Amino acid sequence: MAISFVIASAPAGTASAVPADYQSPDGVYSYVTGGAGTPGDPYRCDITAFAGKEGAVRIQSALEGYPLRTITSLEGCRSSSLVVPQTVTSIGQGAFSGCKNLESILFLGDRPSGNLPGNVSISVLQGASGWEEGTARTEIRTHGSNGSFFSYYVAGGEAHVLGPVSGVDFSIPSADSVGNRFVSISAEAFRGSGAKTVAVAEGVREIGVRAFYECLSLVSAELPDSMRDIRDEAFRYCPSLGNVDLRNVETIGFETFRDCKSFTHIIIPDSVRRAEGGCFYICTNVSCVKVGRGLDRVSERMFGFCTSMESVEFAVKPVSVGNYAFNNCRALEGIDISGADYLGRNAFFGCEKLADVKLSPRLQSIGDQAFAECRSLTTVKISDSLKTLGSHVFFNCICLTDIHFNGPMPETAPDFLFGTQNVKVHIQCVHKESWKAFEGDTVIEGDCETSFSCGHLHLAIVLAFILAGTLWLYIRHRSHM
């Protein structure tokens, strides 16, 4: 019989007709996706609403791996100022009508198709094409030294890096020659460039979406204490990049360090409050991971395919482990997830050396194939809190001999042991009736004749006191006759 399993794929995303929401540091984007991921039909997304923050917002150039091409609507937007990325090629009719506080828009690229609002100030970067005559232009400036120069623009007295002009070793200062403070490296800024090193000075707070995407020669990135947000895919596929110091960073975006194959360890400081899906996906040379106190969840695919990872330490035990979180972490030998109520599907798929797993006494759900292909597991103990157990959970766990269930039979797929033979399922005598539908090899534990619950014990004690009191009253009554 041919058995196939769905594994998280390497492309940026998977085409879907289902609308999605994405929580970014700026607010919640609602969007739909399109494209087949081919040269003639590339992946893309379309924003349909944006429940964003007040003030200035730089709209993301991609959402969860899908390049932004169209803004159909920003309904819910509360921002007074927007920066639209150069990836946008189309604007929907009335796209900005829901932005009640909007005063200005800066476009970083060529003129997109569609009508623009007439009641806000619109400006574009110098050199952008297709714009109407008289449209306000924002100057593109250059800065650098020792043969390495980059471009930038200034808005509201703050400078934002646009990308390289020449050279390979870049130093982003705190301010330019006239005192404009550098605060961000824009989305797509150095994407695909030959940059080898980047040193970012104090004051810069954000690295934008795909800012260093596919910088194959990048070996070093020095970040300042002021750095707070590293956005989606910022350093994706930088295979030569060495370990990055993340001190004081608060947000690590979707697939931020995916395919950073020269990382040897990962230290997530206490300051990090959000680490999005796949943020360290396919970091194949990482041997150890330490997660700080700011995170209490392991996001989807967070450490998937970190094939050399031997250990992971949590300062705070996670309350959930997402889908594919440790998928194919083949060197991982043990893990303490004794605080997790939820284990997603394929959470530990292919962790072939995993022998020691500490599960939570509050664990409620184990997803499909969560421990499939964990070939070193011998014994698993599951508490009485478990409510759902997915399909093929222990598929091909060839060394598994015993599973201990402390509670009644959960809502379970009948094939949770599919592909694994000679496993004894230990169940408590008091719950044996609930396991009647299970057709596997069971071992009944506990004394069925004398087993009773704490509630029964309390009742017995109460009855004993009542009986003793009644007897005392009877004796007292007899003594007065």
Side-chain angles (χ1 to χ4, degrees), residues 468-480:
T470 302
L471 182 60
W472 179 78
L473 289 172
Y474 174 75
I475 294 172
R476 184 179 179 190
H477 174 72
R478 294 285 295 177
S479 67
H480 286 84

Side-chain angles (χ1 to χ4, degrees), residues 89-425:
T89 59
S90 176
I91 302 292
Q93 181 70 33
F96 299 95
S97 61
C99 303
K100 304 303 182 184
N101 302 322
L102 189 60
E103 298 174 357
S104 66
I105 307 173
L106 170 62
F107 287 86
L108 298 185
D110 296 338
R111 172 68 155 91
S113 62
N115 296 323
L116 301 179
N119 58 341
V120 300
S121 171
I122 292 178
S123 59
V124 301
L125 288 182
Q126 183 180 18
S129 64
W131 291 95
E132 293 81 356
E133 186 176 349
T135 303
R137 300 276 174 167
T138 296
E139 180 186 4
I140 295 179
R141 313 181 189 195
T142 59
H143 185 93
S145 60
N146 301 321
S148 293
F149 290 83
F150 61 87
S151 62
Y152 69 99
Y153 72 92
V154 176
E158 296 182 332
H160 306 270
V161 176
L162 283 172
V165 174
S166 63
V168 295
D169 298 303
F170 296 94
S171 178
I172 313 298
S174 293
D176 66 7
S177 58
V178 294
N180 295 303
R181 297 171 291 111
F182 282 95
V183 296
S184 79
I185 300 174
S186 297
E188 317 277 337
F190 290 85
R191 179 176 179 173
S193 73
K196 289 185 177 179
T197 65
V198 58
V200 184
E202 193 65 26
V204 177
R205 303 188 298 264
E206 178 185 311
I207 297 177
V209 173
R210 295 183 169 183
F212 294 91
Y213 187 117
E214 207 173 15
C215 288
L216 304 183
S217 300
L218 187 66
V219 297
S220 172
E222 299 178 16
L223 307 184
D225 288 343
S226 58
M227 186 61 64
R228 294 295 181 268
D229 295 333
I230 307 179
R231 297 296 179 99
D232 299 357
E233 303 177 279
F235 291 94
R236 178 178 168 177
Y237 199 47
C238 293
S240 302
L241 179 63
N243 299 324
V244 175
D245 187 346
L246 299 174
R247 65 186 183 279
N248 295 330
V249 169
E250 295 176 355
T251 300
I252 302 174
F254 171 85
E255 294 191 351
T256 291
F257 295 105
R258 173 177 170 165
D259 282 298
C260 287
K261 296 181 179 180
S262 293
F263 280 14
T264 58
H265 63 265
I266 296 169
I267 298 177
I268 301 176
D270 293 347
S271 59
V272 174
R273 295 291 185 266
R274 293 179 54 202
E276 300 294 347
C279 56
F280 295 102
Y281 192 51
I282 323 181
C283 292
T284 52
N285 282 306
V286 167
S287 62
C288 61
V289 173
K290 293 185 178 180
V291 181
R293 296 183 178 278
L295 291 178
D296 63 357
R297 288 170 172 78
V298 182
S299 59
E300 181 173 303
R301 296 183 301 114
M302 185 168 177
F303 300 110
F305 281 93
C306 290
T307 52
S308 300
M309 186 173 70
E310 298 175 357
S311 65
V312 56
E313 298 178 19
F314 297 101
V316 174
K317 293 183 177 67
V319 298
S320 67
V321 177
N323 300 335
Y324 301 92
F326 295 94
N327 176 33
N328 274 283
C329 291
R330 296 168 192 160
L332 184 64
E333 297 179 355
I335 191 167
D336 184 351
I337 47 173
S338 56
D341 298 338
Y342 168 85
L343 302 183
R345 66 181 184 274
N346 295 78
F348 295 95
F349 185 104
C351 294
E352 56 191 36
K353 290 189 176 180
L354 186 64
D356 181 20
V357 180
K358 292 181 174 63
L359 298 178
S360 170
R362 302 185 304 276
L363 180 61
Q364 296 188 31
S365 177
I366 301 177
D368 296 347
Q369 301 164 204
F371 293 101
E373 301 283 357
C374 290
R375 302 184 179 192
S376 297
L377 274 181
T378 58
T379 302
V380 177
K381 296 182 178 180
I382 299 175
S383 74
D384 59 1
S385 61
L386 189 70
K387 291 182 172 55
T388 59
L389 185 64
S391 175
H392 297 183
V393 169
F394 298 103
F395 173 79
N396 207 26
C397 293
I398 58 177
C399 290
L400 185 62
T401 57
D402 299 272
I403 304 177
H404 297 262
F405 286 92
N406 237 9
M409 184 174 178
E411 179 183 333
T412 181
D415 59 356
F416 73 90
L417 283 175
F418 180 82
T420 300
Q421 300 177 349
N422 303 318
V423 179
K424 293 181 179 178
V425 174

Side-chain angles (χ1 to χ4, degrees), residues 30 46-50 70-77 91-99:
S30 297
D46 170 1
I47 295 176
T48 57
F50 177 54
T70 303
I71 300 176
T72 294
S73 174
L74 291 175
E75 185 66 36
C77 172
I91 302 292
Q93 181 70 33
F96 299 95
S97 61
C99 303

Side-chain angles (χ1 to χ4, degrees), residues 67-89:
L68 176 62
R69 294 288 181 259
T70 303
I71 300 176
T72 294
S73 174
L74 291 175
E75 185 66 36
C77 172
R78 297 181 296 161
S79 306
S80 58
S81 173
L82 293 173
V83 177
V84 177
Q86 63 271 39
T87 59
V88 173
T89 59

